[in-house]
Amino acid sequence: MNIGLIGGGGREHALCAKIIESRFCKNIFCFPGNAGTSKIAKNIDVNILNFNQLLRYLKFYKIDLVVIGPEEPLVKGLVNFLKKNRIRVFGPDKYASKLEGSKAFMKKLCKDNNIPTAKFKVCTHLRQVEDFLKSGNLPTVVKADGLAAGKGVTVCNTKKQVIKISKEIFRGKFKSSRKIVLEEFLQGEEASYFIIADKNSYRFFGSAQDHKRVKENDKGPNTGGMGAYSPAPIINKKIEKKIINKIVKPTLNALKIRKNPYRGFLYIGLMINKGEPYLIEYNIRMGDPECQVILPRLKSDLVEIILNTTKDKLSKCKIEWKTTKSMTIVLCSKGYPGTYIKSRPIKNLESINLKKNEIIYHAGTKIDKNKIISTGGRVLNITSLGKNFLLIRKNIIRLIKKINWNYGFYRKDIGWRVIKKNENY
Ligand code: AMP
Ligand code: GLY
């Protein structure tokens, strides 16, 4: 079949590489893709939020199945739009996408269904913020309600800071919403748990730990993610059972009762404290860079799984995983997550010899006059598989040193939690 993949980051390069392996895939088209996908698929340069234009291309290329990578088109209703136009599509619809698109919606769903999460208050006026501060402890987490490209969350250590950030959001700092969610600060260790779901069932789809802060030792501002590894050893069988019973099942049931069953990947962002999982956030898609460590571990046919999910026949599929571990380190442009250097050629990428267990996924890159140039803040995801996280990381850093590009930086401490706890892990 002809498959259309929406998005152009590292996550989409990883999805594209896996889709190509499928016995169901005849051709794959990336909208818009990046330099990495251009080597293995056909890139179509299009604004993915212009649904009508996108539809024209999908029809022109006779696309049989659309897979959506990023959250924005999902939250804006691309699934509803394509279904209305009789195109088979994988991903949650507009209503279910509110799990990520509106933090107020997600928190209310948690409250109504006793899902463990941080105590919170939805505020639309400063007076409500001041009231919360009277009873709430510091630090307090201030969150913009709508999508904010990873920039909507601030952990505040003073009441003054809470007021300042709240005022900025009320004044319209983020176009998506002027509402805020105030939350108590959760202690513990963060981990991500993934499932794939259709109307009738769900399946485990990997676990990972990301590194959100830009600097080593988890310092500096938040980013989209500086590196990840899979699996997340903190999620043992006992914790997994709690995640499923206290978080996954009540959420899927709540949406089913509202006649909007969840279909697609669901990213469950967790804080684990003393053996108890608390939901921090839902993302209605695979993580980036988590996808880049989860998919290389998947043994089964991804398109078969996705296709069955769109037909509500997920329970028919076998989903098998490799026992090997994986890690990715994100090579960023200097300046990221602030203003970063752009349009710099990466000269020798294609001459680097990669072994079977080594992959370089492209994120913010494009082809310009036959050269690979950097376009985004997160540029490349250097990924490797193996038996031991310490050795995997050493191998990734060895590969990064081979890349002839002087405009980047990366964290050398990805995986510090697992590597520190147990050198042999
Ligand atoms: P979110 O977009 O909700 O995932 O928040 C981004 C990041 O902020 C999370 O990955 C956490 O590191 C942090 N964070 C969000 N909410 C909380 C909370 N209630 N307690 C502690 N950290 C939080
Ligand atoms: N890596 C975090 C995310 O995809 O939201």
Side-chain angles (χ1 to χ4, degrees), residues 116-167:
T117 185
K119 287 200 194 91
F120 73 102
K121 180 169 174 143
V122 179
C123 305
T124 47
H125 294 95
L126 203 57
R127 199 154 12 92
Q128 295 165 306
V129 177
E130 286 161 353
D131 280 350
F132 183 87
L133 287 176
K134 275 182 205 150
S135 53
N137 292 325
L138 290 167
T140 292
V141 188
V142 183
K143 300 187 173 184
D145 172 54
L147 288 187
K151 297 195 171 91
V153 175
T154 316
V155 178
C156 299
N157 288 310
T158 64
K159 292 188 178 182
K160 212 170 137 189
Q161 198 188 4
V162 175
I163 303 275
K164 179 176 170 271
I165 305 280
S166 304
K167 276 186 183 166

Side-chain angles (χ1 to χ4, degrees), residues 210 212 224-225 267 281 283 285-290:
D210 187 11
K212 292 226 163 92
Y267 169 137
E281 63 166 343
N283 292 319
R285 49 175 173 81
M286 282 306 283
D288 185 343
E290 292 92 330

Side-chain angles (χ1 to χ4, degrees), residues 103 107 118 141 143 150 153 155 183-187 190 212-213 222 271 280-281 283:
K103 295 207 186 279
K107 295 296 280 194
V141 188
K143 300 187 173 184
V153 175
V155 178
E183 269 184 32
E184 69 166 333
F185 181 79
L186 293 173
Q187 306 282 352
E190 273 187 78
K212 292 226 163 92
R213 304 294 197 96
N222 265 344
M271 188 70 86
I280 297 185
E281 63 166 343
N283 292 319

Side-chain angles (χ1 to χ4, degrees), residues 162-179:
V162 175
I163 303 275
K164 179 176 170 271
I165 305 280
S166 304
K167 276 186 183 166
E168 284 172 5
I169 299 172
F170 288 146
R171 279 193 212 117
K173 181 175 178 186
F174 301 106
K175 286 193 190 100
S176 51
S177 168
R178 290 183 182 217
K179 243 187 259 175

Side-chain angles (χ1 to χ4, degrees), residues 1-4 63-67 88-90 303 306-307 310:
M1 57 180 12
N2 292 335
I3 298 173
I63 302 293
D64 303 296
L65 170 69
V66 175
V67 179
R88 187 176 292 283
V89 55
F90 171 75
V303 177
I306 285 178
L307 200 54
T310 65

Side-chain angles (χ1 to χ4, degrees), residues 42-229:
K42 183 170 172 56
N43 280 0
I44 313 288
D45 195 12
V46 57
N47 172 4
I48 56 172
L49 299 177
N50 183 342
F51 293 175
N52 282 311
Q53 189 189 33
L54 186 61
L55 180 66
R56 282 196 290 277
Y57 279 113
L58 295 174
K59 285 188 171 162
F60 181 80
Y61 288 108
K62 299 191 167 53
I63 302 293
D64 303 296
L65 170 69
V66 175
V67 179
I68 304 173
E71 62 279 11
E72 207 177 350
L74 290 166
V75 169
K76 293 193 167 148
L78 183 55
V79 167
N80 306 56
F81 176 83
L82 293 181
K83 280 188 179 166
K84 215 164 76 191
N85 285 286
R86 295 170 183 279
I87 292 192
R88 187 176 292 283
V89 55
F90 171 75
D93 64 16
K94 194 173 179 175
Y95 184 86
S97 295
K98 286 204 276 188
L99 284 181
E100 178 172 358
S102 167
K103 295 207 186 279
F105 173 89
M106 172 282 218
K107 295 296 280 194
K108 186 158 186 312
L109 186 137
C110 287
K111 196 175 170 189
D112 292 348
N113 294 280
N114 290 321
I115 294 168
T117 185
K119 287 200 194 91
F120 73 102
K121 180 169 174 143
V122 179
C123 305
T124 47
H125 294 95
L126 203 57
R127 199 154 12 92
Q128 295 165 306
V129 177
E130 286 161 353
D131 280 350
F132 183 87
L133 287 176
K134 275 182 205 150
S135 53
N137 292 325
L138 290 167
T140 292
V141 188
V142 183
K143 300 187 173 184
D145 172 54
L147 288 187
K151 297 195 171 91
V153 175
T154 316
V155 178
C156 299
N157 288 310
T158 64
K159 292 188 178 182
K160 212 170 137 189
Q161 198 188 4
V162 175
I163 303 275
K164 179 176 170 271
I165 305 280
S166 304
K167 276 186 183 166
E168 284 172 5
I169 299 172
F170 288 146
R171 279 193 212 117
K173 181 175 178 186
F174 301 106
K175 286 193 190 100
S176 51
S177 168
R178 290 183 182 217
K179 243 187 259 175
I180 63 169
V181 174
L182 295 181
E183 269 184 32
E184 69 166 333
F185 181 79
L186 293 173
Q187 306 282 352
E189 185 172 331
E190 273 187 78
S192 312
Y193 187 85
F194 295 82
I195 59 159
I196 183 167
D198 68 10
K199 190 172 130 188
N200 304 315
S201 64
Y202 72 90
R203 290 292 189 77
F204 167 71
F205 208 76
S207 68
Q209 281 183 290
D210 187 11
H211 299 65
K212 292 226 163 92
R213 304 294 197 96
V214 72
K215 289 190 186 155
E216 278 157 28
N217 301 315
D218 289 337
K219 298 266 160 54
N222 265 344
T223 67
M226 297 295 293
Y229 54 87

